[in-house]
Amino acid sequence: MKFSLSWLKDHLETDAAAATIADKLTAIGLEVESVEDAGARLKEFVVGYVVLAEKHPNADRLRRCLVDIGKGEPIQVVCGAPNARTGMKGVFARAGVVIPVSGEVLKVGTIRGVESHGMLCSGRELMLSDDHDGIIELPEDAEVGEPAAHALGLNDAVIDVAITPNRGDCTSVWGIARDLAAAGLGKLKTPSVEPVAGRYPCPKTITLEFPPEAISACLMFAGRLVRGVKNGPSPQWVQDRLKAIGLRPISALVDVTNLISYDRGRPLHVFDADKLKGNMKARLARDGEQLLALDGRTYTLDSEMCVIADEAAAHSIAGVMGGEDTGCTAATVNVFIESALFDAVRTAATGRKLQLMSDARYRFERGVDPQFVVPGLELATRLILDWCGGEPSEIVVAGGVPDRRRAIAFSPETVRRLGGLDVPDPEIIRILTKLGFAVSGEAPHQVTAPSWRSDIDGPADLVEEVVRIYGLEHVPSVPMTRPNAIARPVLTPAQKRTRLVRRALAVRGFNETISFSFIPRATAALFGGGDEARQLENPIAADLDALRPSLLPSLLAAAAKNQARGFADQMLFETGAAFQSGMPGAQQTAAAGLRLGNGVRSWTKATHPADVFDAKADMLALLEAAMGAPMTAPIKAGAPAWYHPGRSGTLALGKTVLAVFGEIHPKVLAHFDMKGPAAAFEVVLEAIPESKSKGKSAFSPSPYQAVERDFAFVVDAKVTADEVVRAVKSAERALIEAVSVFDLYEGKGVPEGRKSLAVSVRLQPREGTLTDAEIEAAAQKIVSAAAKATGAVLRS
């Protein structure tokens, strides 16, 4: 919302400077985005007098001009403007001045053999208008050599205010002035609107034609005919005012609507009445109906949009933009003025659908004053009569002003309770009254909001009004109290576990990805999810039409894109939802990780292709971080079909699967057009059992010396290493801290069909240092347990 300082002072009696006004506006909740001197960018431009303008010796459409700028000899320039002539005054730029429209520095040049040392400027070149058919002509009384900004009336500060969506009342200079007056920065002096008597019945009737469910699209429509007008330029002060805020003056009839829109926040539209057929109506558009708007674009409408139409066609997109076919021109003689009350939500939706923004939409979607429909029409009539002449008809109205007023019980104590301010009751009444509220009765008062404040709904809104006008700087700083020095935890156990998992994987070198829960249906089928249970009825994209049954498809898709861009070695992970179906509750929170390639190369160690053991180690590290203790559940060979059948495993507690891991199946890699090797794991976070050491630190080292012993067992070739490890661990659970396999041998010295498996056992006492006898006893239990469970014998 832009306005000039002089424009504001038409409504506000004040001596405050622009900077003071800007500070006060921000203090009362109307954030000032900028305060700009409209003439600042023109400070290098001066008034020039054309001493001579003659035909260019080498070009028919160019003229050689001598321009006097008040000092020194006249300056020679070459000008192509058709209105350049001897005796005129214009805006002159010397060589070295930056031209606003292009940002380029003006240089001395030679045009068809004649040197040009400057430029006589058009409105477009100075970014004052779109006119570039001729140069700017200044009044005869403009002083030669003075700054052009003064002669153009651009020596006024322009303030730009950011208006929040709830403050439609401040989309006008009148509304801004009202808030400033309430804040004590002046006195509101906006004159009331006097009605203009009609001299004859309006020849056009107005109707509202809406189905019952859409009656709110236009609650009121007022209009009148003015005949015998003479359309031309608007008064100079109006043009200067519009130019200062960045609007292009068009004609008196159009400028009336722009002026009132900014001055009073009342959007209007003027139709060339001779281009209308029959009577006027507000109705819903027809599906597929088209309208050529004033911006030169044709818009296709639908039945949710409101339009203003005659008996033949729609001529205006209600609350957004008028049509070009009934627009006013220099030939307009009879004009129909429209002032209506359109629904804010429908207007906003229409603008969004059509991707069309306008000053009218900006105001209607924030809410306009319903009481000002007819006064706005009267004000427009008066200005048209003053500028263009003519004879007005009587006003015709369809619908009426909605009565949205309601009294709100309001106590001064509410200001203290919600706003933290102790404001005297008389001051509260003064503030609310200055803002246009009606206050009656003793406390609690009955407060009625003015018609232009549709955002006021209850006592809390009134507190906001009082506090912002009284001054937020008066709100005392009070420390927040809390029952304990440390804030109470807000994360659930599941959220804490997810954080631990993410941190643990990041520490191992993984990079986190965040992706959609939707994948292509063909991809979902590879992961057991190609059925209808996961199919989306309304996908956000054609290739994202299924819920993912696993996180791996998302990781593989990301890795494939990275690999195609030259990133061969990757470590990615994601935590999120995997879906068994689209029904509520049929999803699991999971964590998945993917290794691709040979890993990061380093001079300290050799690399190797990602394999099943890498994925297993990552999975176990994740589980240990989540549980706060090592995972002891058994691991079985085999995993879902998207893993390699001989290089994968499943970890489960009974029938509950906690995790799967392994190398990715070659067919899956081919589907994603990826090169292996690739290994991955998936862990169902919700299935992980709670730590038995809940509330205790995961790290509790023993003060006593640990002892390590190695055992080489000869077992049947079919016995797995995991069976031997579990058997050894079961021998002395309280004492054995870790068991690891460090050697596998088959060959000379070992019977055929048998193998030698060497394990390292770490004994960690908790109650005292182990004696030799205790160590020997533990070793015997280990050998016995391995022999009983797997038939193992110590290798001699």
Side-chain angles (χ1 to χ4, degrees):
M1 171 63 193
K2 286 186 176 182
F3 57 92
S4 64
L5 182 59
S6 61
W7 194 345
L8 177 67
K9 290 185 176 181
D10 282 353
H11 294 274
L12 185 69
E13 187 177 316
T14 182
D15 295 327
T20 304
I21 290 171
D23 290 342
K24 179 59 71 173
L25 285 172
T26 300
I28 62 177
L30 301 174
E31 182 184 359
V32 174
E33 293 192 323
S34 66
V35 179
E36 177 187 356
D37 180 356
R41 65 174 180 269
L42 306 181
K43 62 182 180 180
E44 301 294 334
F45 296 81
V46 297
V47 176
Y49 175 72
V50 181
V51 178
L52 173 69
E54 62 182 13
K55 180 179 175 297
H56 192 291
N58 303 317
D60 292 336
R61 296 187 179 182
L62 298 178
R63 301 182 72 79
R64 186 183 77 88
C65 301
L66 294 178
V67 182
D68 178 16
I69 61 170
K71 53 185 178 181
E73 296 294 322
I75 300 172
Q76 177 176 279
V77 298
V78 175
C79 181
N83 62 331
R85 64 187 185 277
T86 300
M88 71 169 292
K89 292 180 180 179
V91 179
F92 181 75
R94 282 176 172 272
V97 171
V98 176
I99 304 301
V101 71
S102 64
E104 296 180 356
V105 178
L106 184 62
K107 299 178 180 179
V108 175
T110 301
I111 303 175
R112 296 288 184 92
V114 177
E115 278 195 350
S116 181
H117 294 265
M119 174 189 287
L120 287 165
C121 303
S122 68
R124 182 183 180 185
E125 288 158 342
L126 301 185
M127 297 176 65
L128 298 179
S129 70
D130 292 336
D131 182 15
H132 60 95
D133 294 331
I135 57 176
I136 295 173
E137 295 190 42
L138 296 175
E140 291 184 2
D141 59 355
E143 185 178 341
V144 175
E146 75 168 335
H150 292 172
L152 290 166
L154 298 177
N155 52 348
D156 199 4
V158 174
I159 301 173
D160 188 4
V161 179
I163 305 298
T164 53
N166 66 315
R167 293 303 305 275
D169 61 301
C170 286
T171 57
S172 67
V173 182
W174 180 27
I176 298 285
R178 184 171 48 240
D179 267 24
L180 287 170
L185 207 63
K187 181 180 179 182
L188 191 65
K189 62 175 185 176
T190 305
S192 59
V193 178
E194 298 296 330
V196 177
R199 300 181 185 177
Y200 55 92
C202 183
K204 293 185 180 295
T205 62
I206 291 175
T207 55
L208 302 177
E209 300 182 1
F210 297 99
E213 67 274 10
I215 197 169
S216 63
C218 181
L219 294 174
M220 185 178 181
F221 182 4
R224 82 185 323 165
L225 185 77
V226 181
R227 65 191 182 194
V229 301
K230 185 177 181 180
N231 194 16
S234 57
Q236 189 61 45
W237 68 268
V238 176
Q239 295 187 43
D240 292 342
R241 189 160 284 182
L242 296 178
K243 288 177 183 177
I245 62 173
L247 294 182
R248 177 172 61 91
I250 299 174
S251 67
L253 291 175
V254 177
D255 292 352
V256 163
T257 63
N258 287 334
L259 181 72
I260 295 176
S261 180
Y262 276 82
D263 190 72
R264 299 299 183 95
R266 163 36 58 184
L268 302 163
H269 188 64
V270 287
F271 297 90
D272 187 325
D274 296 329
K275 299 176 182 177
L276 298 172
K277 297 180 181 179
N279 296 316
M280 304 297 291
K281 64 183 76 174
R283 61 171 172 83
L284 295 179
R286 303 180 184 96
D287 286 327
E289 189 170 10
Q290 293 189 327
L291 187 146
L292 175 61
L294 288 170
D295 62 356
R297 296 172 59 192
T298 299
Y299 295 92
T300 301
L301 313 179
D302 63 38
S303 57
E304 294 297 317
M305 301 176 182
C306 180
V307 296
I308 299 297
D310 60 13
E311 294 179 359
H315 296 296
S316 174
I317 305 170
V320 182
M321 187 173 286
E324 188 174 282
D325 58 340
T326 55
C328 294
T329 66
T332 298
V333 177
N334 303 310
V335 62
F336 183 82
I337 313 170
E338 167 248 303
S339 180
L341 184 62
F342 300 116
D343 177 57
V345 174
R346 191 180 295 268
T347 302
T350 297
R352 290 192 186 100
K353 284 182 182 179
L354 301 178
Q355 297 184 359
L356 178 57
M357 176 53 79
S358 65
D359 287 333
R361 174 192 162 186
Y362 180 82
R363 285 158 176 80
F364 274 117
E365 67 185 7
R366 282 165 171 76
V368 298
D369 183 1
Q371 295 280 2
F372 205 72
V373 174
V374 172
L377 179 59
E378 298 278 19
L379 182 58
T381 304
R382 171 52 59 199
L383 293 178
I384 289 174
L385 295 179
D386 291 345
W387 301 351
C388 306
E391 189 179 18
S393 76
E394 296 173 352
I395 292 177
V396 288
V397 179
V401 178
D403 187 5
R404 297 170 178 165
R405 295 173 301 170
R406 68 183 186 89
I408 300 171
F410 184 64
S411 171
E413 175 60 29
T414 311
V415 177
R416 187 179 302 107
R417 181 169 55 86
L418 297 182
L421 274 175
D422 191 3
V423 184
D425 193 32
E427 179 64 9
I428 292 175
I429 296 174
R430 185 199 70 80
I431 290 172
L432 293 176
T433 303
K434 287 285 186 180
L435 290 172
F437 293 82
V439 184
S440 61
E442 299 296 327
H445 306 292
Q446 295 297 307
V447 180
T448 304
S451 58
W452 56 80
R453 292 303 300 271
S454 59
D455 60 310
I456 302 300
D457 188 56
D461 298 317
L462 298 177
V463 170
E464 181 182 354
E465 295 302 300
V466 172
V467 171
R468 73 181 181 87
I469 298 298
Y470 189 74
L472 289 169
E473 68 273 13
H474 295 118
V475 178
S477 297
V478 179
M480 294 181 65
T481 59
R482 54 176 58 167
N484 300 303
I486 300 176
R488 295 176 181 175
V490 296
L491 296 180
T492 65
Q495 290 172 323
K496 291 180 180 178
R497 174 173 290 177
T498 302
R499 281 194 172 188
L500 289 171
V501 165
R502 293 169 59 204
R503 186 176 300 168
L505 291 174
V507 168
R508 292 182 68 83
F510 282 85
N511 293 305
E512 185 173 13
T513 68
I514 300 175
S515 55
F516 283 122
S517 296
F518 316 125
I519 60 175
R521 190 173 188 180
T523 301
L526 286 175
F527 293 83
D531 53 9
E532 293 295 329
R534 299 177 182 84
Q535 184 72 14
L536 297 176
E537 291 185 1
N538 186 25
I540 61 174
D543 60 343
L544 298 175
D545 55 351
L547 292 169
R548 63 184 180 189
S550 163
L551 272 61
L552 274 187
S554 301
L555 289 177
L556 287 165
K561 290 181 180 179
N562 292 337
Q563 191 179 70
R565 287 161 176 78
F567 295 94
D569 302 319
Q570 303 174 53
M571 294 174 64
L572 306 177
F573 84 92
E574 181 174 1
T575 58
F579 300 85
Q580 284 71 54
S581 73
M583 299 301 293
Q587 68 182 60
Q588 294 176 321
T589 302
L594 174 70
R595 286 178 178 263
L596 182 66
N598 296 317
V600 180
R601 292 191 297 176
S602 171
W603 64 273
T604 61
K605 59 182 179 181
T607 60
H608 68 275
D611 59 25
V612 62
F613 299 107
D614 292 322
K616 178 183 177 183
D618 294 331
M619 175 198 70
L620 292 175
L622 183 157
L623 291 169
E624 184 171 346
M627 295 179 59
M631 170 55 70
T632 59
I635 296 176
K636 297 180 180 180
W642 51 90
Y643 288 101
H644 192 294
R647 302 173 187 170
S648 58
T650 299
L651 188 147
L653 284 173
K655 295 183 179 180
T656 303
V657 175
L658 272 63
V660 293
F661 64 94
E663 297 177 21
I664 302 298
H665 198 289
K667 289 184 178 179
V668 175
L669 293 177
H671 173 82
F672 286 96
D673 194 21
M674 292 173 62
K675 296 179 181 179
F681 65 87
E682 300 166 79
V683 177
V684 181
L685 298 181
E686 296 159 345
I688 301 174
E690 292 291 337
S691 173
K692 294 180 180 179
S693 58
K694 189 174 181 180
K696 299 180 182 179
S697 172
F699 180 63
S700 55
S702 171
Y704 303 106
Q705 181 70 39
V707 176
E708 291 191 8
R709 287 291 184 267
D710 296 339
F711 299 86
F713 294 108
V714 177
V715 295
D716 191 88
K718 295 181 179 179
V719 174
T720 64
D722 183 64
E723 291 177 289
V724 175
V725 170
R726 284 191 285 115
V728 171
K729 286 183 177 179
S730 67
E732 190 73 75
R733 294 186 182 276
L735 189 59
I736 297 176
E737 183 180 66
V739 179
S740 60
V741 178
F742 68 88
D743 184 56
L744 172 65
Y745 175 73
E746 291 177 296
K748 186 177 179 181
V750 176
E752 188 175 348
R754 306 275 283 178
K755 63 183 177 182
S756 172
L757 196 66
V759 298
S760 176
V761 181
R762 181 180 176 86
L763 305 177
Q764 178 60 69
R766 295 279 175 177
E767 298 177 355
T769 303
L770 293 175
T771 64
D772 289 343
E774 290 172 331
I775 296 172
E776 184 60 30
Q780 290 299 325
K781 289 182 179 180
I782 290 171
V783 173
S784 299
K788 182 178 180 181
T790 66
V793 295
L794 277 177
R795 181 180 174 186
S796 57

